[in-house]
Amino acid sequence: MEMKKITVLGAGIMGAGIAQCAAQAGFEVSIRDMEDRFVEKGLTTIKANLERAVSKGKMTADDADTIMDRVTGTTDLTMAARDADLVIEAVIEVLEIKKQVFQELAAICKKETVFASNTSGLSITEMAVAACRPDKFIGMHFFNPVPVMRLVELIKGFSTSDETLGLAKAFVDKINKTAIVVKEAPGFAVNRILCPMINEAVFALAEDIASPGDIDNAMTLGANMPIGPLALADMVGLDTLLLVLESFHEEFGEDKYRPAPLLRKMVRAGYLGRKSGKGFYDYTIQKGK
């Protein structure tokens, strides 16, 4: 099956990034969210990214306009998905919400449509069953910021067909990214390793071993990481990190995956990282607020 139209569900930072990459690769893209303000914010994010690329000489203004013309936004799920060849879900990291979305899609999309979830660690098999097409369902985990990060994890569910995996690989190649294929397990490959490491950094901070800046410097200068674990947590979103760690703790039943109490307190306080303005660092100062 040749893929031409891509639908992205969720116009947040991940969904907008996925939509941008697909449009740059020549696909017709529909991006859908629950409210007009979210859709408009997603489209604005894509436009700003393209304008930045133009200012850096990476593309012409005409190229940016052509790419932007390939992207449409809507709050209407039927309009967004009924003709899609591939639907990529990038909504909140809550399994029941994702399952509900795929149940709705099953009644809208054509039978050939491939479904993909951008989940960072939830069960592909369980979502595939809810979607009523387990053979045409796959995990397609992108990394933030999507236009920059080259990796995509492709996760086969229990019944994902080889054909679906092949179509997913072809799509990833077309958008100029590198795919790795991993077996279904909590956190897959990257987050299985990364999230416990970030969690340990939060424990270290809570125990007053070092300041946030010194913890991050230790890992950037001493372990050659491009960004420190606490700064990375702020970029990912502390609420998202907490959800992932909670799912690990529940799935594995091992205390080594227990979320740091400080992380839980910060989420309850609304300190979610960059998206809220404050996390382990204060971003309101940088924004001049």
Side-chain angles (χ1 to χ4, degrees):
M1 180 180 75
E2 182 182 2
M3 291 188 177
K4 294 181 179 180
K5 181 177 179 182
I6 311 298
T7 295
V8 179
L9 303 182
I13 189 168
M14 295 299 292
I18 295 167
Q20 177 185 329
C21 290
Q24 286 182 208
F27 292 100
E28 177 187 351
V29 183
S30 179
I31 188 168
R32 185 262 185 179
D33 214 312
M34 298 293 291
E35 299 181 24
D36 286 330
R37 62 191 176 104
F38 298 141
V39 174
E40 289 303 317
K41 186 175 181 180
L43 294 174
T44 299
T45 297
I46 296 171
K47 186 175 182 181
N49 287 344
L50 295 175
E51 289 175 347
R52 192 176 302 113
V54 171
S55 69
K56 293 181 178 180
K58 295 181 179 180
M59 66 175 66
T60 67
D62 286 344
D63 288 338
D65 289 341
T66 299
I67 292 166
M68 202 68 211
D69 286 343
R70 297 191 186 113
V71 184
T72 57
T74 183
T75 58
D76 189 322
L77 183 61
T78 299
M79 183 179 297
R82 62 188 173 192
D83 297 324
D85 299 308
L86 170 65
V87 177
I88 304 173
E89 166 271 315
V91 305
I92 187 171
E93 191 74 349
V94 177
L95 183 59
E96 291 306 315
I97 293 176
K98 291 179 182 289
K99 286 166 63 177
Q100 181 179 346
V101 167
F102 285 115
Q103 287 172 351
E104 294 174 9
L105 285 171
I108 293 171
C109 295
K110 54 190 181 182
K111 63 181 182 182
E112 299 86 5
T113 303
V114 171
F115 291 167
S117 175
N118 181 52
T119 178
S120 57
L122 298 175
S123 173
I124 299 303
T125 297
E126 190 167 346
M127 284 186 274
V129 171
C132 301
R133 56 182 77 191
D135 60 319
K136 295 187 180 299
F137 199 104
I138 193 165
M140 192 177 287
H141 181 212
F142 292 80
F143 293 83
N144 184 35
V146 178
V148 176
M149 301 297 281
R150 293 291 303 276
L151 181 68
V152 179
E153 287 182 310
L154 296 179
I155 308 97
K156 291 184 67 175
F158 189 78
S159 301
T160 303
S161 69
D162 290 339
E163 179 185 8
T164 296
L165 178 61
L167 289 168
K169 283 182 177 179
F171 173 74
V172 172
D173 287 344
K174 185 74 179 293
I175 63 174
N176 196 32
K177 297 194 181 296
T178 299
I180 63 168
V181 179
V182 300
K183 295 180 179 179
E184 180 176 0
F188 313 136
V190 173
N191 282 337
R192 173 72 176 273
I193 299 166
L194 181 63
C195 290
M197 185 271 288
I198 297 175
N199 194 43
E200 195 61 33
V202 182
F203 272 115
L205 176 64
E207 294 168 17
D208 200 26
I209 291 174
S211 68
D214 283 347
I215 288 171
D216 280 350
N217 282 338
M219 299 307 292
T220 56
L221 302 178
N224 205 30
M225 290 179 59
I227 183 173
L230 299 179
L232 180 57
D234 279 352
M235 183 181 294
V236 169
L238 272 60
D239 52 341
T240 300
L241 175 63
L242 179 60
L243 285 171
V244 172
L245 288 166
E246 286 177 332
S247 70
F248 284 7
H249 195 210
E250 181 180 353
E251 285 283 334
F252 291 115
E254 298 180 26
D255 280 345
K256 69 178 182 178
Y257 298 110
R258 177 176 66 92
L262 175 59
L263 176 64
R264 197 180 299 279
K265 287 179 183 179
M266 292 179 70
V267 171
R268 287 172 177 167
Y271 283 52
L272 308 182
R274 287 181 176 271
K275 62 186 173 184
S276 70
K278 289 185 178 181
F280 294 107
Y281 299 95
D282 187 343
Y283 301 93
T284 60
I285 298 174
Q286 298 176 16
K287 295 176 182 177
K289 292 182 180 178

